[in-house]
Amino acid sequence: MEKILITGGAGFIGSHVVRLFVNKYPNYQIFNLDSLTYAGNLANLTDIEKASNYTFVKGDITDANFLTQLFTEHNFKGVIHLAAESHVDRSILNPLEFVMTNVIGTVNLLNAAKTAWKNDLENPLFYHVSTDEVYGSLHNPEDFFLETTPYDPQSPYSASKASSDHFVRAYHNTYKLRVVISNCSNNYGPNQFPEKLIPLFIHNIQKNKPLPVYGKGENVRDWLYVIDHARAIDMVFHGGKNGETYNIGGFNEWKNLDLVQLLCKIMDKKLGRTEGESEKLITYVTDRAGHDLRYAIDASKIMNELGWKPSLQFEEGLEKTIDWYLNNTAWLDNVTSGDYQKYYETQYAQR
Ligand code: NAD
Ligand code: TYD
C-alpha cells in the first residue's frame, strides 16, 4: 500500500480531501497529519475514521524534528499539504502565527521530504494547496488571475501563502523535488468553520444575529463548492505536471452584498420566514483593513489539460450547504461552544 500524507486533514477542505482519497483509493494508506488548532475538527471525519486505510497523526508542522521522525518512519509516496492558518481577519490580528505555520511549517515539510526522498527525488510528489489571494486584488473588471499573473499579495495571510509557494518552487528548482501547486478561489460547503462569510452568516441568520457586512459589501469573490475543489486536488495530484501551477475556480463571481441577499432569501424560505425578514439583519460595519476588492480565477488550464470542471451551479451548492448546516446543528453547536476540541481526548487519545 502506498502511503500518502495529507496535512490539515481535520480542517474544512482537508477533511473533504481525506474522505475522497480514503473512499476512492483503497490501495493508499492515508495519513492525516493535523495539530488540531481551533480550525481542526475530527468530528468532520467520523464517517471514515475507522477505515483500515486511514490513520490520524496529531502533530505540528512547525516541529521540524517531529516531521523528520515521521518521514523516516513512513516511506510516503506523496504529500498533499493543506495545513495552514487560513483566515484573513486573524492574519491581520496576528501575522506571526501565519509566518510560523504557513511559511516555517511549509519549509519544515519541504526539508523533511527532501531528506527522506534524497535517493528518489524524481518520484514522490510534494503538492502544495494554495490560494488565489497570492495574486493580489483585481481592479479592472475584465481581468482574471492566470497562472502567469505576477504575485502581489496584500494581506498577511496571502503574503504567507505567497511565501510558501515561492519556497515550494525554490525546492523544485534547487533540489529537483517533484512539486505541483494549485491556487484556488473561495471555497464554501459543509464543515467550514463559522468565521468565514458563508457559514458565519448562515449561523447568524438562524440565530437572528446581525450580519456584519464589511464596508459597502462591494467586494467580489469567486466561489467554488468544496467538493469540486477536492475533485480538482485529486486530478492535480494524479495528473499535474512536475513544477506546474494550476488555478482552480468556479467562474462564479459574486459581490458580497448580492451573495448575502441571496443567502437571506434562501434562508427565509428554509426557515419559513416572510421574504425580506433575514435581510433586516444586514449591518454595515467598518471595512477590513486593506480589503482586496476582487478575486477572479481563469481556470482554463486545469479544465483543458486535466479535464476538470465544477459540477455544481452556485445556487445548488448554496442550498446544499445551507441544508447541511440546518441538519447538523450539533456540529455547529459543538464548534460554537468549543466542545469539538474535546473530541480528540475522548475518542482518540486513549486508543
Ligand atoms: P482550515 O483553517 O479549515 O484548516 C486548516 C487545518 O490545518 C486545520 O485542521 C488545522 O488544525 C490545521 N493546522 C493549522 N496549523 C497547523 C500546524 N501548525 N500543524 C499541523 N496542522 C495545522 O483551512 P481550509 O479552509 O480548509 O484551507 C486549507 C488549505 O487550503 C489552506 O492551505 C488554505 O490556504 C488553502 N485554501 C483555502 C481556501 C478557502 O476558501 N478556504 C481557498 C484556497 C486555498
Ligand atoms: P472570507 O470568508 O473571510 O474569505 P476571504 O477574505 O479569504 O475572501 O470573506 C469573504 C468576503 O466576505 C470578503 O470580501 C470579506 C467579506 N466578509 C464580510 O463582509 N463580513 C464578514 O463577517 C466576513 C467574515 C467576511
Side-chain angles (χ1 to χ4, degrees), residues 7-15 33-41 59-62 81-87 100-102 105 128-133 157 161 182-188 191-193 195-196 223 229:
T7 71
F12 166 49
I13 302 170
S15 61
L33 166 63
D34 200 297
S35 64
L36 301 180
T37 67
Y38 81 94
N41 185 351
D60 195 321
I61 59 167
T62 63
H81 174 37
L82 296 107
E85 286 295 332
S86 70
H87 189 41
M100 293 308 293
T101 291
N102 299 1
H128 186 222
V129 175
S130 191
T131 167
D132 63 349
E133 302 190 25
Y157 164 65
K161 291 296 291 188
S182 59
N183 297 85
C184 187
S185 61
N186 286 56
N187 284 216
Y188 70 98
N191 304 100
Q192 189 169 28
F193 196 84
E195 63 183 354
K196 305 269 169 77
W223 295 93
H229 187 193

Side-chain angles (χ1 to χ4, degrees), residues 90-347:
R90 285 180 190 257
S91 81
I92 294 169
L93 295 174
N94 190 354
L96 201 52
E97 204 168 356
F98 284 66
V99 176
M100 293 308 293
T101 291
N102 299 1
V103 185
I104 312 252
T106 301
V107 176
N108 283 340
L109 261 181
L110 286 164
N111 278 336
K114 172 170 94 64
T115 307
W117 299 342
K118 60 181 181 298
N119 297 323
D120 189 24
L121 282 173
E122 307 286 299
N123 279 312
L125 177 67
F126 190 101
Y127 177 4
H128 186 222
V129 175
S130 191
T131 167
D132 63 349
E133 302 190 25
V134 298
Y135 298 121
S137 181
L138 293 169
H139 291 272
N140 177 352
E142 271 124 59
D143 285 349
F144 287 87
F145 297 138
L146 290 162
E147 287 79 359
T148 49
T149 302
Y151 275 31
D152 187 21
Q154 300 291 319
S155 74
Y157 164 65
S158 54
S160 70
K161 291 296 291 188
S163 172
S164 54
D165 283 359
H166 287 321
F167 272 105
V168 173
R169 289 199 184 91
Y171 273 61
H172 171 66
N173 180 61
T174 312
Y175 309 111
K176 309 299 168 215
L177 198 66
R178 193 160 85 90
V179 307
V180 277
I181 296 174
S182 59
N183 297 85
C184 187
S185 61
N186 286 56
N187 284 216
Y188 70 98
N191 304 100
Q192 189 169 28
F193 196 84
E195 63 183 354
K196 305 269 169 77
L197 181 73
I198 290 181
L200 176 71
F201 280 31
I202 293 174
H203 177 253
N204 286 10
I205 293 171
Q206 213 187 343
K207 304 271 174 198
N208 261 310
K209 288 163 87 178
L211 307 176
V213 170
Y214 298 162
K216 295 187 180 135
E218 282 176 346
N219 304 68
V220 174
R221 296 293 182 264
D222 170 9
W223 295 93
L224 180 69
Y225 194 61
V226 64
I227 292 172
D228 280 329
H229 187 193
R231 287 176 45 249
I233 289 173
D234 179 16
M235 287 179 165
V236 171
F237 183 72
H238 289 100
K241 289 200 199 105
N242 187 12
E244 294 279 316
T245 294
Y246 298 86
N247 280 354
I248 307 169
F251 287 108
N252 178 43
E253 287 180 59
W254 282 80
K255 204 193 267 191
N256 288 344
L257 189 58
D258 294 340
L259 191 164
V260 171
Q261 283 168 340
L262 174 64
L263 201 59
C264 288
K265 209 167 138 195
I266 305 177
M267 289 290 283
D268 278 343
K269 269 201 210 122
K270 302 263 177 205
L271 297 173
R273 294 180 182 171
T274 50
E275 196 172 331
E277 207 177 320
S278 300
E279 251 192 68
K280 291 187 197 139
L281 298 168
I282 292 176
T283 310
Y284 294 95
V285 299
T286 310
D287 208 354
R288 173 186 279 171
H291 197 170
D292 286 344
L293 180 64
R294 173 174 166 254
Y295 305 142
I297 281 269
D298 182 339
S300 306
K301 179 176 173 183
I302 187 172
M303 292 170 104
N304 296 337
E305 290 188 13
L306 302 181
W308 173 86
K309 64 174 190 315
S311 68
L312 282 187
Q313 293 294 320
F314 187 54
E315 279 81 351
E316 201 185 341
L318 207 52
E319 286 240 11
K320 268 169 115 69
T321 305
I322 292 170
D323 286 343
W324 187 86
Y325 280 96
L326 295 181
N327 292 330
N328 288 276
T329 45
W331 183 92
L332 201 54
D333 289 344
N334 277 336
V335 168
T336 42
S337 71
D339 277 356
Y340 73 108
Q341 284 169 319
K342 297 179 193 143
Y343 193 86
Y344 176 76
E345 298 305 326
T346 55
Q347 303 292 319

Side-chain angles (χ1 to χ4, degrees), residues 9-21:
F12 166 49
I13 302 170
S15 61
H16 289 280
V17 176
V18 166
R19 177 176 300 101
L20 177 72
F21 273 65

